Amino acid sequence: GKAPWTGLAGDNVQTLLLQQDRLWLGSLETQWDAALKGYRDGGLSVWDQTSWTARSYDASNPNAPGLKDSSVSALAAGCDGTVWVGTGNAFDHQGSGVQVLKPGASVHQKTQDTWTQFSFPSLASDNTADLSIDCSQNLAWVASRHHVTKPDGLGGAGGQLLGGGVARYDLTAKTWEKSDSR
């Protein structure tokens, strides 16, 4: 927490995106809080050359707009000023797919954010590994790892794995096409 780094969503930074004068960082959940029965860290942080603002999943209000998982694994700049946020974790096989953030006039006013979510089965999996946006072709690409669909009941990351592969989104037609090895 030393300046200027106070305000990060988490220390386990997995991805970064430089977008004009903003630096976006995505970090994984790592600090479990047994009393809260949830993670205390992870999410999306933005630095605009003056200060940090963090966005995390709010487990107490799962239907609220915003991140649906605080393990941010991939970031990409959209063609229209948006930030594509891939969620997933190679260690616990969890994630909530991809959320697209359109910040308001100030990146620090989270109430101005607009969010769009894409998830399995439109995506190959909810456990995002990487993102790429091709503005010249109006395509978004999402690479995915397997995700857990049916937990083992033991409280761990084990369970039935499903999905994986790549999905392509046509930004003009707003349609998904996915591919895997099967």
Side-chain angles (χ1 to χ4, degrees):
K2 294 181 182 177
W5 305 109
T6 52
L8 286 179
D11 292 338
N12 195 350
V13 176
Q14 298 295 302
T15 184
L16 60 88
L17 168 66
L18 187 58
Q19 188 183 44
Q20 296 146 359
D21 63 345
R22 298 175 184 159
L23 175 64
W24 296 89
L25 300 176
S27 54
L28 296 183
E29 301 169 322
T30 59
Q31 297 176 7
W32 180 259
D33 186 322
L36 294 175
K37 296 182 180 171
Y39 288 96
R40 295 184 300 131
D41 66 340
L44 179 66
S45 305
V46 62
W47 169 257
D48 69 352
Q49 308 303 312
T50 59
S51 61
W52 287 99
T53 296
R55 291 160 171 85
S56 298
Y57 171 64
D58 182 1
S60 67
N61 190 3
N63 295 321
L67 285 175
K68 301 301 178 194
D69 188 298
S70 285
S71 281
V72 175
S73 55
L75 296 171
C79 305
D80 55 358
T82 56
V83 177
W84 286 60
V85 182
T87 63
N89 191 321
F91 305 107
D92 68 8
H93 307 292
Q94 300 289 329
S96 64
V98 174
Q99 286 90 52
V100 182
L101 166 63
K102 184 166 183 69
S106 169
V107 293
H108 303 297
Q109 295 297 320
K110 296 183 275 186
T111 57
Q112 297 175 356
D113 293 348
T114 303
W115 293 87
T116 304
Q117 179 167 358
F118 300 110
S119 59
F120 182 81
S122 294
L123 300 176
S125 169
D126 283 338
N127 192 4
T128 307
D130 204 0
L131 294 167
S132 184
I133 310 296
D134 182 349
C135 294
S136 68
Q137 298 291 314
N138 280 327
L139 297 172
W141 295 89
V142 180
S144 302
R145 301 177 198 92
H146 299 297
H147 67 260
V148 173
T149 59
K150 183 178 177 189
D152 61 11
L154 303 175
Q160 181 181 2
L161 297 178
L162 185 70
V166 66
R168 180 181 70 183
Y169 185 67
D170 185 315
L171 295 165
T172 305
K174 300 187 182 323
T175 56
W176 284 101
E177 180 182 349
K178 59 184 180 177
S179 301
D180 60 29
S181 62
R182 295 182 259 315

